[in-house]
Amino acid sequence: MKTLLILLLVLLDLGQSLGAFHRVPLRRRQSLRKKLRAQGQLSDFWKSQNIDMVQFTESCTMGQSTNEPLINYLDMEYFGTISIGSPPQNFTVIFDTGSSNLWVPSVYCTSQACKTHPVFHPSQSDTYSEVGTSFSIQYGTGSLTGIIGQDQVSVEGLTVSGQQFGESVKEPGQTFVNAEFDGILGLGYPSLAAGGVTPVFDNMMAQNLLEFPVFSVYMSRDPEGGSGSELTFGGYDPSHFSGSLNWVPVTKQGYWQIALDGIQVGDTLMFCAEGCQAIVDTGTSLITGPPHKIKQLQEAIGATPMDGEDYVDGMQFCGSGFQGLDIAPPSGPLWILGDVFIRQFYSVFDRGNNQVGLAPAVP
């Protein structure tokens, strides 16, 4: 009887951890950086945006407004599909834990980027209502501006009613023209949201669409299509990780910010000996940190600097997974644990207990 009781408790716990969740498939496509490099346009793009072109490479065998560092989106490769309105209008978005707004291009957008992506038509939705307030998101290469509308938003069987979202009418320069995604769905805390908009996930919780106030991210290491990658709303899937989840408290509710005890290179503790702050960010491809520390790290792993002029068609190299990025106070300094990290560690974002769960991801 005691054994049966223990078994039932284990099964109950497993059921709670899994939850009645909704899987959102994520596809892996070529990043904007890779696309521009393949077209021989990366160096010109960097020059036009006044971006520091010095990157690092490792040797390899041939074979209201809110601020968001847009440069990170050059490397984004994992995207999912949502729909807005009734009947549904589909968009490819980045599910971004480093921001909190949902926005897509508007039919009234005047930028070149909107001509290469689907646009939202308010007049074609029976459930749309105009809010009319303006919003602006400041990026490293310009500002995204538009108006706020309200409609139903559906994500793989979950339909949020009355969701406020941004309809962009002006997008910065050439940045989004060749991007594989149409817009961004932010999964950060409400304090990050421009215009005081309630984020999609908060409305999911408020409308009782989820059994548990949790979402989780698995990013496959499959280099082609990212087969099996998924975002899960309402729980997590133990088949995607080995061992047990290590729960780390959120230290500041804006980004999904946690404390790091230290950063080692090999067996050597190189940074954060007294602890530092980091964010787990699905909207950043690489691992970033203060530029002077990243430079030391690059040297420690044997990476060598490479100017943007050196990117030529047909060149083969292995890019370092680290990038220097200054995040100014009061938010910074912060390290960012992006997709390079999340591919290695299955990540669970728990709003109920304000904590992040991490465990080694199953390849």
Side-chain angles (χ1 to χ4, degrees), residues 82-338:
I82 67 167
S83 67
I84 302 176
S86 177
Q89 300 177 41
N90 294 332
F91 299 93
T92 296
V93 298
I94 294 171
F95 290 95
D96 178 21
T97 58
S99 65
S100 298
N101 287 84
L102 166 62
W103 66 263
V104 296
S106 166
V107 66
Y108 302 113
C109 179
T110 57
S111 300
Q112 178 64 29
C114 297
K115 298 177 182 178
T116 60
H117 293 90
V119 294
F120 179 73
H121 296 258
S123 62
Q124 295 180 10
S125 174
D126 297 333
T127 46
Y128 176 83
S129 60
E130 182 179 346
V131 177
T133 54
S134 62
F135 81 99
S136 174
I137 300 177
Q138 185 68 40
Y139 292 108
T141 55
S143 61
L144 172 76
T145 58
I147 60 171
I148 294 176
Q150 181 172 297
D151 210 329
Q152 67 178 32
V153 174
S154 297
V155 187
E156 289 297 322
L158 290 172
T159 299
V160 179
S161 60
Q163 177 64 50
Q164 292 190 3
F165 65 100
E167 303 170 57
S168 72
V169 296
K170 187 175 181 181
E171 298 184 6
Q174 294 295 306
T175 306
F176 290 129
V177 174
N178 294 315
E180 293 281 357
F181 58 91
D182 308 316
I184 295 170
L185 191 155
L187 291 168
Y189 281 82
S191 62
L192 287 184
V197 170
T198 301
V200 172
F201 190 71
D202 285 76
N203 276 328
M204 286 182 180
M205 293 188 293
Q207 296 175 23
N208 297 314
L209 301 180
L210 306 172
E211 185 172 352
F212 298 104
V214 171
F215 64 91
S216 52
V217 179
Y218 172 71
M219 291 183 175
S220 167
R221 301 175 205 174
D222 172 25
E224 298 302 322
S227 177
S229 301
E230 64 179 20
L231 166 68
T232 301
F233 286 112
Y236 59 86
D237 188 346
S239 69
H240 283 320
F241 62 88
S242 60
S244 301
L245 288 165
N246 178 40
W247 293 102
V248 186
V250 170
T251 56
K252 185 177 181 180
Q253 296 177 21
Y255 301 111
W256 285 89
Q257 184 170 327
I258 60 175
L260 300 184
D261 296 331
I263 297 176
Q264 289 185 196
V265 177
D267 296 327
T268 304
L269 179 63
M270 285 196 65
F271 310 109
C272 301
E274 298 179 358
C276 58
Q277 296 290 301
I279 63 176
V280 184
D281 185 6
T282 59
T284 297
S285 178
L286 307 177
I287 294 175
T288 80
H292 66 287
K293 294 184 178 179
I294 291 294
K295 183 178 180 181
Q296 295 174 37
L297 190 153
Q298 304 280 22
E299 292 171 349
I301 64 176
T304 56
M306 209 176 161
D307 191 273
E309 296 285 354
D310 295 330
Y311 288 121
V312 294
D313 292 343
M315 182 176 182
Q316 296 188 35
F317 66 94
C318 287
S320 165
F322 302 96
Q323 178 181 344
L325 181 67
D326 259 327
I327 300 179
S331 297
L334 287 174
W335 291 73
I336 299 180
L337 307 178

Side-chain angles (χ1 to χ4, degrees), residues 28-78:
R28 189 174 187 180
R29 295 182 181 175
Q30 189 179 42
S31 70
L32 180 55
R33 184 189 300 272
K34 291 178 181 177
K35 179 182 289 188
L36 290 172
R37 186 167 62 232
Q39 296 172 352
Q41 299 175 358
L42 182 58
S43 181
D44 289 340
F45 174 82
W46 275 342
K47 286 179 180 179
S48 70
Q49 303 297 333
N50 296 316
I51 295 171
D52 179 7
M53 294 189 297
V54 175
Q55 299 292 303
F56 289 81
T57 180
E58 298 172 349
S59 61
C60 64
T61 303
M62 297 282 282
Q64 151 190 10
S65 69
T66 187
N67 294 321
E68 181 77 8
L70 179 62
I71 185 62
N72 291 315
Y73 289 127
L74 285 176
D75 289 295
M76 287 308 303
E77 297 179 323
Y78 295 89

Side-chain angles (χ1 to χ4, degrees), residues 11-23 210-214 232-238:
L11 290 174
L12 177 62
D13 180 67
L14 179 61
Q16 289 178 337
S17 67
L18 289 172
F21 53 61
H22 297 257
R23 301 177 189 268
L210 306 172
E211 185 172 352
F212 298 104
V214 171
T232 301
F233 286 112
Y236 59 86
D237 188 346

